[in-house]
Amino acid sequence: MSARKPPRLRPKSKPKKSMLYRPFGLLLGLASGAAASALFSQAWKAVGRGSDAPDALDEDRSWREILIASALQGAIFAAVRAAVDRGGAVGVRRLTGTWPGGS
């Protein structure tokens, strides 16, 4: 008896965004980046004792300070991006009656 190969499963693909949403999504992405950057600057001024955010290659800053700044920046950027993306999708649904993700 020969062993049968299990059927190949196709990976689930992400739903395609509508072509009309893409330019809107690009503008939202730019806006969310600018908003997140401004929010991070204000947050770092409060957390970092008023100094500018450290750069990873800044020799005078400690590992701890650089890693805390990076983690804070990543969290802020992710949260702002998610909020803006979700708000944009809700706005598109209200205007068009369809969700931009295709589902």
Side-chain angles (χ1 to χ4, degrees):
M1 256 194 324
S2 64
R4 293 175 66 182
K5 291 183 180 179
R8 287 183 71 183
L9 298 176
R10 284 192 251 164
K12 289 185 179 181
S13 61
K14 289 184 177 179
K16 293 181 181 177
K17 292 181 181 175
S18 71
M19 292 300 287
L20 296 174
Y21 182 73
R22 286 186 186 197
F24 186 62
L26 280 171
L27 291 175
L28 285 176
L30 291 172
S32 68
S37 181
L39 188 58
F40 171 68
S41 292
Q42 293 301 314
W44 187 255
K45 284 180 185 175
V47 173
R49 298 179 296 262
S51 67
D52 291 335
D55 182 66
L57 300 178
D58 192 348
E59 189 176 19
D60 298 330
R61 303 291 182 103
S62 69
W63 274 90
R64 180 175 184 235
E65 187 176 18
I66 289 169
L67 294 178
I68 289 171
S70 295
L72 178 63
Q73 184 178 30
I76 288 172
F77 270 75
V80 169
R81 177 69 192 255
V84 170
D85 282 348
R86 185 65 178 203
V90 169
V92 166
R93 175 180 260 168
R94 286 182 183 156
L95 290 173
T96 67
T98 60
W99 192 257
S103 50

